[in-house]
Amino acid sequence: MNIVVQRTAGDANTPIQGVWSMPSFRCLTLEHPTKFIAAGTYPLTWTQSPRFSKAATAKARKKDPKAAEVKVYTPEIIEVKGRAGLRVHVANYTRELEGCIAPGFSFKDIDKDGTIDIAQSTAAYDQLCEALLSAGIKNKVFKITIIDAFKLKF
């Protein structure tokens, strides 16, 4: 399966906004203005996230110290030169992104700080993952192509 993220706006001071498109799903995307993934085509896989698994396990063990380890899987963009751990995950603000992509359904200034954020990220992420899983990402490597549909100004 081929997935396209087409960037539509952003610069060094403004979050990079885009559109995620695949045959069975479409949403908006948000990326950090200076830590984004270079335009290109990369493998997209379904892998366990050490960071999110650790956080989910810690949260579970606050409620029950004997809780089992929680394994969290997310889409991961791999083979990006000089980078690792680049994921698609829930986030509303660029401060929650360190090179990853956050899905959502609308852009707005959620926290009224003058910076564009992405809203409804959890709902978009859930639907995006459902579409990827239905298409077989657990058993196949997909391709994601990131396109700059405008000139990034830095």
Side-chain angles (χ1 to χ4, degrees), residues 15-17 29-31 92 94 97 100-102 107 116-118:
I16 297 175
Q17 301 156 52
T29 61
L30 188 75
E31 296 176 75
N92 292 113
T94 55
L97 299 169
C100 299
I101 297 174
F107 296 115
I116 294 294
D117 307 310
I118 197 158

Side-chain angles (χ1 to χ4, degrees), residues 56-70:
T57 299
K59 185 176 180 179
R61 290 184 177 158
K62 276 188 177 182
K63 293 180 182 176
D64 177 3
K66 295 180 183 181
E69 176 185 3
V70 179

Side-chain angles (χ1 to χ4, degrees), residues 76-78 83-89 98-100:
E76 181 178 11
I77 301 165
I78 59 173
R83 311 279 298 274
L86 299 172
R87 298 191 174 272
V88 178
H89 65 81
E98 296 177 15
C100 299

Side-chain angles (χ1 to χ4, degrees), residues 83-153:
R83 311 279 298 274
L86 299 172
R87 298 191 174 272
V88 178
H89 65 81
V90 173
N92 292 113
Y93 313 104
T94 55
R95 62 182 171 265
E96 298 173 302
L97 299 169
E98 296 177 15
C100 299
I101 297 174
F105 287 125
S106 64
F107 296 115
K108 63 194 270 186
D109 184 1
I110 296 169
D111 57 0
K112 309 291 186 225
D113 67 352
T115 300
I116 294 294
D117 307 310
I118 197 158
Q120 301 157 310
S121 187
T122 300
Y125 177 79
D126 290 348
Q127 291 178 39
L128 182 150
C129 287
E130 183 178 315
L132 291 172
L133 291 166
S134 293
I137 194 167
K138 282 186 176 180
N139 303 313
K140 301 179 224 176
V141 175
F142 293 172
K143 292 285 182 194
I144 184 168
T145 300
I146 300 171
I147 300 168
D148 292 333
F150 68 102
K151 183 158 177 67
L152 292 168
K153 298 174 187 171

